[in-house]
Amino acid sequence: MTDFGFTLSRSSALDLSKADTRLYEKLCSLSPDARTCMGCGSCSATCTAGPYSGMSLRKVILGLQRGQDVRPMLKGCMLCGKCTMVCPRGINTRQLILNLCRIYD
Amino acid sequence: MKENVVIIGGGVAGMEAAKQLLFLGYTPIVVEQKDHLGGHVSQWNRLFPDMASAQDLVRHLGEEIVDANIFLETKVNFINRLREGYLVMLSNGVSVACRAILVASGFRLFDAARKEEYGYGVYDHVITNADLENWFNGNPDPRVPASPKKVGFVHCVGSRDLKAGNSQCSKVCCMTAVKQAIEMKEHFPDAQIYCFYMDLRLFGKKYEDFYINAQQEYGVQFIRGRVSEVGETLDGHLQVKAEDTLSGKPLRAQLDLLVLMAGMVCNPEAAELARMARLEMDSDGFLRSADNISGIVGSNRPGIFYAGACTGTKTVPETLAEARSAALDIHRFIQGK
Amino acid sequence: MIERFSSGFHPFVLPFLAGMIFVLGYCVYGIVRILVQLPGEDRKRFLLSLITPRTFLKNIRDIFCDCLLHVKLWKRNRLLGYMHSSIAFGWFMLIVLGHIEVMLFLPERIHLFYYPIFFNFFVAETDSTIQGSLLFFLMDFFLLVILSGIGLAMVKRVRSRLFGMRRTARPSLLNQIGLYSLWAIFPLRLLAESFTAHISGGSFLTIPANWVFRQFLGNDLNMLPTWWAYSIALGVFMFVLPFTRYMHIPAEMMLIPMRNAGLKVRHARKGFARVQVYSCPNCGVCIDACPMSVDKANLKDCTVYLTRQMRRGNERRIAEISDKCLLCGKCEAVCQVGVEGPKLRVLNRAERKYAVKADYSDIPTGTLSGAATGGKVLYYSGCMSQLVPSIGRSMESIFRKAGVDYCWMDRDGGVCCGRPMLTAGRLEEAREIVRKNTEIILGSGADTMVVSCPICYKMFTEEYSLPGVRVIHYVHYMEELLAEGRLLSRRGDLCYVYHDPCELGRGCGIYEEPRRLLGRLSGIAEAEKNRSESVCCGGSLGSLSLSFAKREKITRAALDNLYTSKADAIATACPLCTATFARYADRPVRDLAEIVDLNTDGKLKPDTI
Amino acid sequence: MIYEGKQKIWKDYQKEIPDDHWYYVRSCIRQNFFPASERKFTDITQQVLGKDVYETPYHTTCGGIAYHCDAIPQETAMTIVARQFALMTEAGYENYVPSCVTSFGNYIEILETWREFPELEARIREQLWKATRREFKKPKYLAHTSDLIYHWRNEIAEKASVRLIDHETGEPMRMAEHIGCHYAKMFPSKGIGGAEYPYVLAGMIESWGGQVVDYPERRHCCGYGFRQYHMKANRGYCVSNTHKKFESMEPYGIQAILTNCPGCCYFMDRWQYVIAEQTGKTYGKDGFGIPVFTYEELAGLVLGYDPWDLGLQLHQVAVEPFLDRIGVRYDPKAKYLGLNKEDILRPELPTNLKCF
């Protein structure tokens, strides 16, 4: 390979058609309320783990919809339940997180 | 003899007003350019939030106004101010002297072809909300594939868009998109539906329930980001580009069908009427109401009233309520109270 | 008394004998298996306790009081108490008296353990003695007691409400067989003894019955069939016993010594947990107690069904029941046997494997720089308190008024105490969080840590080891401040009803202190169900699967209980309860900290603070 | 694709182009990249079509590159442009035609700015006067050189000796068109066919017998990006954009690309080499790339010019397969002979991209 001093940069674009959403669908079958997330961000704003680990449940759900690996974010969750308290859609966020931690393989 | 009231426009606003005026003892003269009454609603299939039949609404209103004078395929040629009232000359040669005129000229659907980047009229599988309603009504449309797997809805086509000449929100499209997304999923249970939105403006009664339902029961995915351009792939799919603003990343999707939620703009005929009757136009391109809070149905001319979407985007129930309100205001005006 | 059969045997005893041998064999096998399953340390501890005189006596007393006399049940519900103790104690007495009879009259037959049971069949009365009549009288008396108990049980079966129970557990088929065979045993015994009474003798019950029967049944042909039937009923009962709730009879006798030995449940399915599961008598008291029972859909998720499903090994249901529970601990509080429903659930949750493991290495532990030096007070409000800012604000105000040098550890968000993770069954993760907090707290140099959230408080007292740091609940702390005169109380005019948060009341046993504190500051009223009977607010983090919508019903039921007090406002001592109640309550909901702050002054004048 | 739909749009975006008397200005970078193209433009227009196209050696850069690289403020660019207009005025012309798309966009942007803010125009006039003692009239008509070739495309077609048809199969050549971003994306009404479905190049291809092929990333930037390219560290970003275009183009069997912008032609040609070296991937048939032509080159080819006179040897991607397809005769040995018929040396051949 010739060294030009620069290389093709990887596209940051998300391709919905190529996104692997099986995990998202699996999650939705276990936690159907995951579908009702409207991305308001309350969960992320109140998250205890957020400041330490960048955990954002909103991004987790969105990332799954886009077929991304969200494990790094999940690792920081302490299950404190504040997100459950603030979710305007009443999503059982703790169950969602636990289900998600289980279905990754 | 009963007193004449000219109603310009035979959509649901004009029909409802005619019905009320008949009840109040007047002879409404409904002037409609098209060959049928009911305006846009007559082309629609089902109406949110109760999924009522649009045709039924138009038919019921039609049954109520059989006693009115209805001139189809007729235009207003000019309006002359008389000492008391107006003389309205119609294109069919009839001229009517009346003390009150109701302008119910409605809206025009934004011409989606003007958003060239979406390729309406260029790509094989791009349709508008109106086309989809027409298809729901059982009229075949070659642009709707036999079994689409991925369907996209683009909100705000020709709304909130200075470049398209309409900076206003068309108000009903978000809800229409959610309704149509659900209906599409009912037609094609295997399809994944995406709604590309900038803001979801679901303001009305039970609209939010529709939204939640669309997400939970129908798995509709709402992607916050305006579609920037559409291309066609070799196999006839549509390649849509947008920014997934919630991810902060550019997003691509291949779709089988794209539905453009064309917004509402003022009927250009209204500008013509405004010129004839010296009515004022508002900055949003619609007719200017006497007052946007307490005098929505009033105009700047005595005896000329407005109802429905000629003064701005309206839902069907809002239009009907305005029509009733206008009929009452006309009655009070004629009674001199 | 003479023996009617020189062999001392009749074939009709065989069903009983077989049943008895089966059940004894099963129990021995069960005991050995459980002992094997116990961790070595626990096993040693348990066996030692059996021979320690103090625990030995306690075991005897507890078994007598709990298993036979049902003292706890008497305290809770006399009718139910009578019903259970009449059968248990009555039967026990029949067996004891039977043995006394044998020992007294035919001591050489005492080694045949069917003999005391069927004594009346094998003997003929030759002369009446005082001891004989007394024994016969007592036999008839206790039989009557049992029969009265069985009569009540039959009524309860159809009209449980008469016994103060709205709902009872639905018995399975085997349980029904067990139940009906148990019911049959004693009337059959009465019949058998009655038919034999003119030979063997009897007392006030059997003699008249014998006379009545002989009036129209002139011969003794009925005698043998009734003894057969009696034996068969006993046999059937004993054969099904291991597979029915009646297994609780032997299991409880194992449970009591284990509990007295101080054993803890360490594994969801093994050892002590197994004993607890088998000890559940399926009485169903937990169904009414369970706050989730306000919703019919949750009726089958109470502890009684957990133990049933655990016996059946229905993994799907076990997971479902374990996940749904609020862990409010009420079932445990009302349980007559001492089945630790919440603990079993948490351990069942812990059985689950998670592919994504937590990693808290990003959490810095040296963040409390400039915090406490010796003598300083560390205040930990907990995550949930951030959603009820009045708690933290009030605590700060109280600290200032009392002139306390304090540091709010998690003012801008801190590390969770770990209890939610623990109750979710992710024990390793919880331990990791505990390690992080321990580092932070010990590194702060504080010697006192005030905790206002009962969830956190329970965690800090039970799972943390914080040498040199006194962890104190804010109720105690505020009481201390008042007692030391650093805070001056002033009575407000509102009347509060105090809601016992699950984790503080049943969880930590703190019932009276909050009431005492509240009573100094305001009027106080009691809800219909209070203290250990308090109803969970429904917001509990214990439940993993209860949806927001389902929780609403529970919250409203808890509020309805509080409304029975007619108080002006609700006081509680938990941010989660406060936030949950505030959502639906028709009157103000305040945390104790807020009430204390409202109704106290500092010794210092306000402008010098 | 509904062709009538496009035709409707094309009808909406037409502009008036006078048939004669143009003042011609060259592009800065084209003179280095593809010098023959500009030379042939004058040849074709003046000699073949007999038009009055005037140019002066005194004109300079329009300042567009510096402006788009944020190196100079717009006012400086305006003053430079004002001088260009002054030269045109002095030469007695009022139709202005730049050969560079960025210049074209720059002129339009400046003229539109002046229309909105006449006081700015007045200031620029004053500055030009102070600096050069020159005065100018704004051009009456402004067109890009591709607009002119488009305008005369049918006349060229009539004089053509070669058509864009595979001379073996008789099928039209499958060609993509690529419009420079500054041509119509800023002011869609100023480009022929608008911004979304521009017709300026498509019209030439259609007139000369080829078939225009659309592909999803047709509108995407070529991967020049001015200041992005000028920072070496950012070139990966530039070439990634080109890569994206070629990836999108790949399934369509495109045989050549027609461009109207100096940068586009150059970068879409050269980046194919970089992509091939970095990823091993080539996009034409049999290991070749897809040739990228300027409209002058394509016009020259159909008019029967010798490919080497058109400067096609300066392309990185080999043009020979395309020439063979449309039946253009050429002498392979003459490829690297200069105008004086002497050897101009041979470039080193790339590893992955097949070249001659």
Side-chain angles (χ1 to χ4, degrees), chain B residues 46-57:
Chain B
R46 288 193 285 174
L47 302 174
F48 55 78
D50 297 331
M51 295 308 226
S53 158
Q55 323 287 336
D56 284 355
L57 173 70

Side-chain angles (χ1 to χ4, degrees), chain B residues 15 18-19 22 58-68:
Chain B
M15 293 172 85
K19 169 182 139 188
L22 276 171
V58 173
R59 200 175 55 245
H60 287 148
L61 284 173
E63 286 162 4
E64 301 261 14
I65 59 167
V66 283
D67 294 336

Side-chain angles (χ1 to χ4, degrees), chain C residues 343-394:
Chain C
K343 201 166 263 177
L344 289 177
R345 286 176 169 93
V346 169
L347 287 169
N348 270 313
R349 292 174 185 181
E351 292 291 288
R352 215 162 284 164
K353 296 282 171 284
Y354 291 93
V356 180
K357 298 268 183 291
D359 176 6
Y360 304 121
S361 53
D362 289 341
I363 299 177
T365 50
T367 45
L368 283 180
S369 58
T373 47
K376 209 159 182 176
V377 169
L378 204 56
Y379 169 52
Y380 185 87
S381 64
C383 304
M384 280 300 159
S385 301
Q386 283 168 0
L387 298 177
V388 188
S390 63
I391 298 176
R393 209 180 47 207
S394 303

Side-chain angles (χ1 to χ4, degrees), chain C residues 392-437:
Chain C
R393 209 180 47 207
S394 303
M395 284 306 292
E396 286 205 292
S397 165
I398 289 167
F399 286 136
R400 275 199 302 267
K401 279 195 281 194
V404 177
D405 190 10
Y406 73 99
C407 167
W408 188 352
M409 184 172 151
D410 53 350
R411 183 206 297 272
D412 304 315
V415 182
C416 172
C417 67
R419 183 143 178 87
M421 201 47 117
L422 184 84
T423 54
R426 303 188 70 180
L427 310 183
E428 189 40 56
E429 270 85 355
R431 274 192 280 273
E432 185 58 37
I433 297 175
V434 168
R435 268 194 288 278
K436 283 284 171 188
N437 269 324

Side-chain angles (χ1 to χ4, degrees), chain A residues 27-38:
Chain A
L27 176 71
C28 287
S29 66
L30 293 169
S31 290
D33 50 2
R35 288 193 194 281
T36 63
C37 172
M38 53 178 170

Side-chain angles (χ1 to χ4, degrees), chain C residues 3-20:
Chain C
E3 226 177 340
R4 289 169 64 204
F5 307 92
S6 59
S7 66
F9 175 77
H10 192 280
F12 84 82
V13 304
L14 284 175
F16 162 76
L17 210 53
M20 194 70 205

Side-chain angles (χ1 to χ4, degrees), chain B residues 195-225:
Chain B
C195 281
F196 294 90
Y197 71 97
M198 296 199 283
D199 289 302
L200 280 175
R201 299 188 162 189
L202 300 161
F203 59 93
K205 186 179 166 74
K206 294 209 277 184
Y207 291 8
E208 192 71 9
D209 291 352
F210 253 79
Y211 175 28
I212 298 175
N213 207 28
Q215 287 181 304
Q216 187 146 32
E217 304 302 323
Y218 297 90
V220 177
Q221 283 190 22
F222 290 83
I223 299 169
R224 203 189 79 180

